[in-house]
Amino acid sequence: MVQVASTPPWPPHRLALVALALLGCLSVGTAQAGPKVREQDGERRVDGKTYSAVVAADGCLTSLEAGGTQLLAAGVNVSRGGYVFQDGVLALSELSAPRRDTVLAQSPLASVRYAFDDDGLVLTVKNRSPQPLRYFLVLAADVRGVRLGADPARLDALGPAPRQTTDARGLWFGGGARLAVKDLCTGWGPWLERHQVLDLEVPGGGERTLALGVAAASEAERSALEALLAPPPEPDLSVLHPRPWQVLQRDARGGADVRVNARVLFDSVEVEARLSGGPGGAAAPAPAWTPLVGVPGSRSFAGTLRVAQGAGYLLEVRARTGAIARASVRVEPLGVGEVFVIAGQSNSTNSGEERQKPASGRVSTFDGETWRAADDPQPGCHDRSQGGSPWPAFGDLLVERLGVPVGLAVTGHGGTSLVTWEPGGDLQRWLMTRVHALGPQGFRALLWHQGESDVGMRPAEYHDRLLALIRATRSQAGWDVPWGIARVSYHSPDRPRFESTRGAQQRLIDEGAAFEGPDTDTLTGEHRDLGGHGIHFSAKGLVAHGRLWAVSVLHWLEQIVGPSSPAR
């Protein structure tokens, strides 16, 4: 969601004002009579001294307002503002008022107690089911956070960094409102490209509490926040594509046309680019500079460079006016090899027992905006899971066998049924953002690993729903995206396979809708977490899982492109 950014020193008076505001806002309110909850049109409404709130008839916190600013985003996609999520939004429609300042919303699966005070509220979320659930607070689009560092005189700015997680304790500002998060919870985002999310995970049978302070922001705080979150100045020369660590999909000729997009801030300039390194390494002669073409009506320049498959490329872009050098940029490492989009439920994301790391140094991962080395946790998963994945081992084996770098784009969400992956839904749209970002023919295949949540679904329904998802993905992508499907249905050592689900998966493979992925139901015993009793994978299981996927992909690649000659 957010990442700490360094900031220049502040004037002492501003530091003092904001530090005092922080300390005051994070303190626990004194005991007072508190506001009174009133019922209106089936909702429960409350007005504190510093804020107002609404609990809807389904138990969701749909409004939290202070200083004339709404802090929550209710009615955006599935968001209800503040709500319980467990394979979908849980309605807690049994509302009661145990005290004049309290609303209790409950159902057989969960309950939320909203205890209101003059300057905030305390949420107590109880999970009555054996499965974990989450309480989400989806913040309005303009809400950003500031937190107090280890040194009370130092503030760290939290700007929007996609799909990273952080400890969300501290202050959150939006317009004229200030939200103080006083208890440990996770923050991440942006969700739907705009919204930050506070995420309170509650284990099966467990209980978590989240205390919030809500008030209007002071003028000093508003000024300080603007200074902290001011965007850095744009460089004179920037390269928009490709990005460091990017892997481009090799084509049938064993290479790639690398699209180069650059932007400059000055006039009367020539922009050139060259790619060096790769399979030839430092011993290869540096290629000639290639002019990039200016895009009319803009300060952008574009061009295409042809390179062979391989790793370790360096892109150099320079801008000059005549013989005078104006600016230069280096982008590295870059590679041309095999790229895969990955979707499904928890065993396709970061739900394994121990985080993994590629040993080859040639496996990259893409979160939709940036590339990096593919150390776990993989970025870009819809569930923001933080454990281990099979994909480092998958990438390493492909690198070893093919001799080219590998790129990953992981998009899945744990515990999801095909019902939640239906075309047009949030998960499918999230998947398509990665597909569109990579572009037509921009990856080799989409790898699908899901089925554990649908063992009770009729085989015909599973087949039809997954086929509809495959067709919608291809239609929206604008090209015939290859799919690989795993045979997977594992639940426990006593129930390691469900032939109904496996049969539906095999039917799609037999019909040619997808190529044959691995049979991961065979990974039992020490391959599973919790000493062999879990549904997710141990460290040994993650490696085995990734290698099974790699073997399936290698077999399929041989069928469509023939045996590969490694490019070292």
Side-chain angles (χ1 to χ4, degrees):
M1 159 234 125
V2 290
Q3 115 187 23
V4 176
S6 60
T7 57
W10 283 12
H13 70 278
R14 178 169 290 178
L15 278 171
L17 282 171
V18 180
L20 285 173
L22 274 165
L23 294 173
C25 135
L26 292 176
S27 63
V28 178
T30 58
Q32 300 180 36
K36 181 179 179 180
V37 175
R38 66 185 189 278
E39 183 176 353
Q40 182 178 330
D41 300 326
E43 299 177 332
R44 304 300 192 271
R45 295 174 175 267
V46 61
D47 293 310
K49 286 185 177 180
T50 60
Y51 72 99
S52 63
V54 175
V55 178
D58 59 359
C60 298
L61 184 66
T62 54
S63 178
L64 194 59
E65 188 173 340
T69 300
Q70 178 59 246
L71 285 160
L72 301 183
V76 178
N77 197 267
V78 300
S79 172
R80 299 282 290 136
Y83 58 98
V84 175
F85 189 93
Q86 189 185 61
D87 292 332
V89 179
L90 288 184
L92 310 179
S93 302
E94 300 175 28
L95 296 187
S96 61
R99 296 174 36 160
R100 66 188 301 275
D101 59 357
T102 301
V103 175
L104 178 62
Q106 53 189 331
S107 78
L109 293 177
S111 69
V112 180
R113 179 185 293 269
Y114 300 96
F116 298 98
D117 203 343
D118 283 326
D119 58 359
L121 65 154
V122 177
L123 307 169
T124 302
V125 185
K126 186 171 184 179
N127 186 355
R128 295 171 172 170
S129 77
Q131 302 301 322
L133 55 76
R134 323 286 273 275
Y135 188 89
F136 291 139
L137 276 167
V138 180
L139 303 180
D142 64 343
V143 176
R144 291 293 181 266
V146 175
R147 70 181 176 195
L148 194 63
D151 178 356
R154 176 174 173 265
L155 289 171
D156 293 326
L158 301 181
R163 289 166 286 281
Q164 295 182 10
T165 61
T166 186
D167 177 353
R169 284 176 293 186
L171 289 181
W172 295 78
F173 289 90
R178 177 184 69 189
L179 176 69
V181 179
K182 304 175 183 180
D183 292 323
L184 179 63
C185 74
T186 298
W188 51 261
W191 177 65
L192 296 181
E193 309 304 326
R194 300 182 64 197
H195 301 281
Q196 305 296 313
V197 180
L198 306 185
D199 182 348
L200 192 69
E201 184 170 0
V202 186
E207 182 176 293
R208 293 283 304 277
T209 298
L210 182 63
L212 304 172
V214 191
S218 69
E219 287 299 325
E221 289 169 339
R222 294 189 198 189
S223 298
L225 185 70
E226 289 177 6
L228 278 171
L229 298 183
E234 185 177 353
D236 289 338
L237 171 63
S238 54
V239 176
L240 309 179
H241 186 278
R243 306 299 297 161
W245 285 97
Q246 185 164 349
V247 177
L248 297 112
Q249 176 61 48
R250 60 178 178 168
D251 57 27
R253 294 181 290 160
D257 294 318
V258 181
R259 172 175 52 87
V260 180
N261 294 100
R263 175 176 165 79
V264 296
L265 295 187
F266 35 74
D267 299 319
S268 301
V269 67
E270 298 175 350
V271 180
E272 302 169 308
R274 70 179 180 183
L275 273 163
S276 57
W289 289 92
T290 300
L292 302 183
V293 178
V295 178
S298 74
R299 295 179 179 272
S300 299
F301 290 77
T304 301
L305 304 176
R306 180 72 188 179
V307 293
Q309 66 186 26
Y313 283 106
L314 162 67
L315 171 68
E316 297 171 276
V317 179
R318 69 184 184 185
R320 57 189 177 87
T321 301
I324 302 174
R326 303 292 298 274
S328 63
V329 175
R330 294 162 60 96
V331 180
E332 60 181 331
L334 298 171
V336 176
E338 293 291 334
V339 183
F340 300 90
V341 174
I342 297 151
Q345 61 183 103
S346 58
N347 282 324
S348 77
T349 67
N350 302 298
S351 297
E353 208 160 35
E354 296 181 26
R355 294 178 180 179
Q356 305 296 301
K357 181 177 181 178
S360 63
R362 295 187 178 185
V363 187
S364 299
T365 187
F366 179 50
D367 68 4
E369 296 185 12
T370 61
W371 290 79
R372 65 165 174 81
D375 299 355
D376 283 339
Q378 300 301 310
C381 297
H382 189 271
D383 63 5
R384 278 74 180 182
S385 47
Q386 296 294 299
S389 85
W391 307 116
F394 165 80
D396 273 346
L397 185 55
L398 289 185
V399 169
E400 176 188 332
R401 297 287 179 86
L402 301 176
V404 298
V406 171
L408 310 169
V410 187
T411 68
H413 192 117
T416 47
S417 162
L418 270 173
V419 174
T420 53
W421 282 92
E422 63 183 4
D426 183 41
L427 290 177
Q428 195 260 347
R429 288 201 305 272
W430 181 266
L431 164 64
M432 292 309 300
T433 61
R434 214 64 44 84
V435 170
H436 291 313
L438 292 169
Q441 313 297 327
F443 59 96
R444 178 65 76 179
L446 192 153
L447 310 183
W448 178 256
H449 195 278
Q450 186 274 344
E452 298 99 326
S453 290
D454 284 332
V455 295
M457 185 180 289
R458 292 182 299 107
E461 181 183 359
Y462 186 94
H463 169 277
D464 293 348
R465 284 185 178 277
L466 186 48
L467 182 59
L469 177 62
I470 293 171
R471 288 173 171 170
T473 301
R474 290 170 174 165
S475 174
Q476 294 170 25
W479 59 287
D480 192 17
V481 177
W483 275 60
I485 297 177
R487 273 78 46 74
V488 51
S489 62
Y490 186 92
H491 263 233
S492 69
D494 299 327
R495 297 183 298 167
R497 56 196 294 138
F498 290 77
E499 295 303 335
S500 56
T501 303
R502 292 169 56 84
Q505 294 159 347
Q506 187 64 51
R507 179 182 166 193
L508 288 162
I509 294 167
D510 294 341
E511 292 171 348
F515 67 84
E516 185 173 358
D519 183 349
T520 60
D521 286 346
T522 61
L523 296 176
T524 60
E526 61 184 353
H527 290 106
R528 300 287 170 167
D529 64 353
L530 302 178
H533 297 287
I535 197 171
H536 300 130
F537 290 109
S538 63
K540 181 176 182 177
L542 289 172
V543 172
H545 182 187
R547 293 179 70 88
L548 282 179
W549 259 114
V551 169
S552 295
V553 166
L554 286 166
H555 178 68
W556 172 69
L557 280 175
E558 257 191 34
Q559 294 175 325
I560 63 170
V561 301
S564 296
S565 299
R568 300 296 179 187

